[in-house]
Structures are given as C-alpha cells and as structure tokens.
Amino acid sequence: MALTKLSIALSALTLLPWETWATAPKVVGYDFAKVKRELPPQKLQRRDGGVSVDIINDDLVVYLLNISVGTPPQPMSVQLDTGSSDLWIPLVDSTICRDGFCGETGSFDYSLSTSLQVFDETVSFHIGYGDGSSYDGQIVVDTLQIGETTVENATMALVDSADDLFMGAGPIGNGIWGINFPMGQTNVRRPDDMPYESILQKMKKDGTIKSVSYSLWLDSIDAKKGTILFGGVDSAKYTPPLISVPIIKNPLSNVYDSMFVEFTSLSFKDPSGNVTLTSDDTVTLAILDSGSAGSKVPKPLADKIFSYFGARMEFGAPFLPCNLATADVSLTFGFGGANGPKITVPIGALVSPSDPTDQYHFADGIEACRLLVFYAEGDYMILGDSFLRSAYAVYDLDNGQIALAQSNLSPGAPDITEIEGNAIPNVASVVSAIPLPPSITTEASAATSATVPELPSGFTGKFSDPAPKASFTAQGTKSAAAGGTAAMIGSTGYLVCGVVSIISVLLGGSLMMFT
C-alpha cells in the first residue's frame, strides 16, 4: 500500500520570516505546514538512554519546514521533531526515493554539492524503529539554508537505505529535523560520548540567535500551519502567565537527552464542577513531543480517564461516542507542583476526528471515535500534539528550562523578545524540581514496548456492544452512569510518528563514500 499523497505540495510550503527579524532582535522564525497522511497500522519506538518510549499517532500529521541543502542549494521539506536530535535527509538514489516516496518533499544529490564533506568515515548513521524498520546513512557536513538564514558547515545525515519499510507500506519520504538535546544524537551511546555540534548550537555560534532555544506554537487543530521561533518568545501567541519548569535529566544516564518535565496534576471540569484525578503528591516525568498526536499516561491514571469518559476498549484502543467531542468539558494538566503552569485542553482535542473513509460504530449505530489517550508501559508520560496545541511551549536548552502558557489561538501582531542569558523573558515565575519517586529513578528500564493488536479479519467497522456512558453528555449535562473498562494499549488505525530508537553504529569504514 502506497503512502497517501501530501495534501499540500512542496511549492505551497512557503516560509516567510517577518521582515524585521533580519536586524534585531537575534531571532528567526518560520511558519511550518501541517500535513496529514494516512498509513497502515504500525508502531515505532524511541529508546532514550535505556528507557523505551513508544510514540503514538492516530493519523500521521507531520509538521513540514522548508530547507535547502548544499551548494548550489537543493530545496526540500523536513519534519520538525522535538523528540529526536539529528537532521537527516534522503538521498536521491536511496531506496526510499527509488520507490517513489520523495517526490513531493524533495531529496538530495550529493554529487551536485561542492560544499559537502564527510563528517567521520568511521561513524555511520543508523536509526532503528520498534516495528523492525530502520534507516541507514552517512553523517556529513554541508551548507544548510532555512528561509533567509544560512548555516555553513552544518552537521546532518544523508540516508541511503531503509529496511522492512513499515510492514510493506513504504517509508516516510521526507527527512526529519530533530531539535532535542544533542545528547540524543545517533553517535551518543554512553553518557560520556561527545555529540557533534547541533544546528541550533551552530546558529548560536554564528550569531544568528543568542541562545539554543525555540518556541513552538501549533495553533488550532483546524489550522494549516504553525510557527517555530528560534531564539525568542512571541508574547502575542500565549495568554499569561508564562511559567518556567526545569527540564529533568534522564534518571538513568543523568544527562539532558529528552524533554522531560514533571507532571503533577490532572483535573476535569464539566458543568457540574471540577473533578481531580490525581493526589497531592503526584509526580512523574512527561515528555513534550511534537512527533506524537496522542498521549500516553501511566495505567492507574489512564483507567481514571477512561472511566470518566466512559471509554470502551475495542481491540485494544479506547473508543467513545464521537458527539462527546462537543461537550462542555476540559482537562487541566499541571506541572511542577501547585505553583507551576497549568494548561487546559478541551475534550475535542483528545478525540480523534471522524474520517468518512474510516468510520467505526457501536452496536446501536452511534459513531465511535478514538480517545487519544493510551497506556504507558511504566511511570513515564508522553504528551503529544493533542496537548501541545493548547500550549505555548518555550524550550530553553541552554538553561534546561521549558516555559508553558495557555496558547492564544487568536493572536495579534507578533511581540517578539529574544532569549539570552540565564532566563526566558517575560516569565512570571520559575518553579524548582520536585524529588522523583524511587520507581522512576530505579525502575525506568521496565518501560517496554506494547504490542499493537490488529483488527480481526473481515471487521466491518461495527463493534458488538452499544455506546458506553460517560460522566457527562454531549450537551454538557451530568449523566447517571460512567462505564468502560481498561485493557492493553494499541489498535490499528493509529500509528507512531517521529524519530525513534536512535543508535550510533561505529564501523571500521564509512557506509557511503563521496568523491
């Protein structure tokens, strides 16, 4: 089965930095296009310092940014991913492009670039996925252009081959730009390994930006684009207060290699009042990941969410009536304790929209939609786009901080301040780290991948049971019963997005030679 074509052609992905950014402040920003693809069911997995973390996605929504590589520049689009740390692009004669998956997002012909250099012939590039697929290539140095910004001697990978391509469906054709910490790079296997200079580090050294930082604004679920701002904060795109929390080092390696923050509370609000689902001493690590559409939470909390929503597990995934997405209900996620940031997410953001070509129904004919909340395989959480669309997130990698505020979906003119020194500007307060429970620091390796069950052969899209009852109705009034049971995570129809299981392979020679 081939990939569904991109709904937005490469030529339409116009990146227009604000004209004033060419001078002061030292900030560069770009629009990126949100493009939806459909792929067969799959599950990928990223390994972060010994912790296995599954990334889930209902439909493959990728955030594509236009770049050019080489001299003369060769244009292409790459996917932004806060959960990985390398920039890689497909070669024009790679197995990916020969099979026709690179046409609309572009590819790279190294023979045409006069500025390309091999980074280290003893180090090859390998990205492995939990479904058995993998991408291989060579780490190189070349000229990178992002809009009007030129980065000389930028380090990236050229992908030459891919194996076991998504169970016969074919690979993701576009490249991926991981903007996580450098310690998450493919050539970092141990805490004492030295990463290469990241793109953002090079931009800081060149004086393009003053800090290794960026702000992410995904806009609403219906918007066609979002914005990433390197080196600055746009106060027009959030509703104060903006509150900063510390990024937590990986408990196993004691290094910054993932965007871990401390999740401390979750509550519901419906017309009958507030319902708190967490205790006062709740603290667990959460990854804020733009490469995932849904969220994964520890089983005890997931069970409470499923019970409140009345979600019914069907073939391993939580389903509920689609019309509940219009209910006057919201969830508020808290971080860093009582004084930390709180982000409110409407229920509609957590319900996968109905697809006319892929509909499910309960036995009584009520249309069923997936709830984009799933079981984590341990104490860690992943909060993906369904959460991030409601937040304005500032990632300050230099100072190990993430600042969060409620997203403003109707912003006015940009109000940009550069990030420099040891603090994010316009932050109302900074909270301190909370001691982690022993289960997180000693049992992190227990987090393993989950099996994704497939829908049975001949499934018609109609479940055997009637629609479940939630603790509220689509009109927002309180109902009499709450139902649903919890089971294992996974189902066909949602999939994993983002770069995962990044491994550096040290070989005696290079995988590819450039002459």
Side-chain angles (χ1 to χ4, degrees):
M1 183 183 299
L3 288 172
T4 300
K5 287 188 175 181
L6 293 180
S7 61
I8 302 177
L10 176 62
S11 60
L13 301 181
T14 304
L15 304 181
L16 297 174
W18 283 280
E19 296 296 330
T20 55
W21 295 4
T23 55
K26 292 288 187 178
V27 179
V28 289
Y30 305 96
D31 292 339
F32 53 80
K34 293 195 281 189
V35 180
K36 181 176 179 179
R37 291 174 174 156
E38 294 175 1
L39 286 174
Q42 56 181 292
K43 179 177 65 63
L44 311 184
Q45 178 187 90
R46 178 172 59 246
R47 293 188 178 275
D48 292 308
V51 180
S52 175
V53 184
D54 293 325
I55 307 300
I56 55 177
N57 211 330
D58 180 65
D59 293 299
L60 183 55
V61 178
V62 294
Y63 300 94
L64 293 181
L65 182 71
N66 276 2
I67 65 171
S68 295
V69 177
T71 307
Q74 301 177 43
M76 63 197 72
S77 295
V78 293
Q79 176 182 349
L80 286 170
D81 181 19
T82 62
S84 64
S85 304
D86 297 275
L87 168 62
W88 68 264
I89 57 177
L91 283 171
V92 66
D93 59 351
S94 64
T95 56
I96 303 171
C97 297
R98 287 201 302 266
D99 291 336
F101 295 102
C102 302
E104 296 194 10
T105 52
S107 58
F108 184 71
D109 187 341
Y110 69 86
S111 67
L112 300 180
S113 177
T114 60
S115 52
L116 182 140
Q117 305 172 59
V118 175
F119 175 75
D120 185 341
E121 293 186 359
T122 67
V123 180
S124 64
F125 181 81
H126 178 82
I127 301 176
Y129 294 84
D131 65 351
S133 64
S134 62
Y135 292 76
D136 295 277
Q138 180 78 51
I139 300 178
V140 301
V141 176
D142 209 338
T143 300
L144 170 69
Q145 285 185 283
I146 317 161
E148 297 178 356
T149 302
T150 298
V151 184
E152 304 284 354
N153 300 315
T155 305
M156 66 196 77
L158 306 182
V159 164
D160 176 66
S161 64
D163 296 322
D164 298 325
L165 305 180
F166 290 172
M167 297 181 286
I172 299 173
N174 56 267
I176 295 179
W177 184 6
I179 48 179
N180 188 15
F181 285 102
M183 287 301 290
Q185 293 168 3
T186 60
N187 65 323
V188 176
R189 300 291 301 276
R190 297 172 298 273
D192 57 350
D193 287 342
M194 289 296 296
Y196 57 76
E197 186 177 52
S198 72
I199 304 296
L200 294 183
Q201 287 174 327
K202 186 65 165 59
M203 291 171 67
K204 177 184 177 181
K205 186 169 75 173
D206 292 346
T208 304
I209 54 180
K210 288 189 176 180
S211 66
V212 179
S213 61
Y214 55 89
S215 301
L216 195 63
W217 184 68
L218 299 187
D219 206 346
S220 70
I221 191 170
D222 298 320
K224 299 299 184 184
K225 63 182 182 179
T227 299
I228 187 165
L229 191 64
F230 295 112
V233 178
D234 186 355
S235 298
K237 289 186 169 60
Y238 67 83
T239 301
L242 181 68
I243 300 178
S244 180
V245 297
I247 301 175
I248 306 301
K249 292 181 179 180
N250 188 311
L252 298 181
S253 60
N254 198 36
V255 299
Y256 289 114
D257 60 9
S258 296
M259 299 297 181
F260 284 122
V261 294
E262 291 181 318
F263 164 85
T264 52
S265 66
L266 178 66
S267 62
F268 286 95
K269 182 179 181 181
D270 63 26
S272 66
N274 293 316
V275 179
T276 300
L277 298 186
T278 51
S279 60
D280 292 340
D281 60 351
T282 295
V283 56
T284 193
L285 292 181
I287 298 176
L288 307 182
D289 195 327
S290 67
S292 173
S295 297
K296 297 186 72 175
V297 302
K299 187 178 185 302
L301 182 56
D303 286 341
K304 292 180 181 179
I305 295 172
F306 297 158
S307 176
Y308 183 83
F309 279 120
R312 173 166 291 133
M313 305 304 290
E314 298 286 356
F315 307 115
F319 282 82
L320 74 172
C322 294
N323 62 0
L324 291 182
T326 64
D328 183 18
V329 174
S330 60
L331 292 77
T332 297
F333 295 77
F335 304 88
N339 297 321
K342 293 176 174 56
I343 304 299
T344 298
V345 180
I347 182 177
L350 299 175
V351 178
S352 175
S354 175
D355 185 342
T357 64
D358 185 25
Q359 289 186 329
Y360 301 98
H361 292 84
F362 293 106
D364 51 8
I366 295 177
E367 188 175 6
C369 285
R370 282 181 293 271
L371 178 64
L372 297 179
V373 177
F374 306 99
Y375 285 146
E377 293 73 47
D379 292 326
Y380 291 84
M381 296 177 66
I382 295 174
L383 299 177
D385 298 341
S386 57
F387 167 81
L388 287 171
R389 277 191 292 268
S390 297
Y392 186 80
V394 185
Y395 299 75
D396 183 356
L397 280 65
D398 272 351
N399 296 301
Q401 296 281 320
I402 290 179
L404 295 171
Q406 196 71 34
S407 177
N408 180 4
L409 300 182
S410 300
D415 182 10
I416 298 164
T417 307
E418 63 189 25
I419 301 173
E420 60 178 330
N422 59 3
I424 298 171
N426 305 321
V427 165
S429 61
V430 179
V431 300
S432 301
I434 300 171
L436 295 171
S439 61
I440 291 181
T441 58
T442 62
E443 300 177 8
S445 59
T448 58
S449 64
T451 301
V452 177
E454 296 187 10
L455 292 173
S457 177
F459 177 64
T460 62
K462 189 170 185 178
F463 302 124
S464 58
D465 294 319
K469 296 293 185 181
S471 297
F472 53 89
T473 69
Q475 290 72 38
T477 56
K478 192 77 174 178
S479 64
T485 57
M488 64 184 296
I489 178 176
S491 171
T492 57
Y494 68 82
L495 52 98
V496 183
C497 176
V499 175
V500 291
S501 187
I502 302 179
I503 305 168
S504 174
V505 180
L506 303 178
L507 300 176
S510 63
L511 182 67
M512 299 178 292
M513 296 300 293
F514 300 90
T515 58

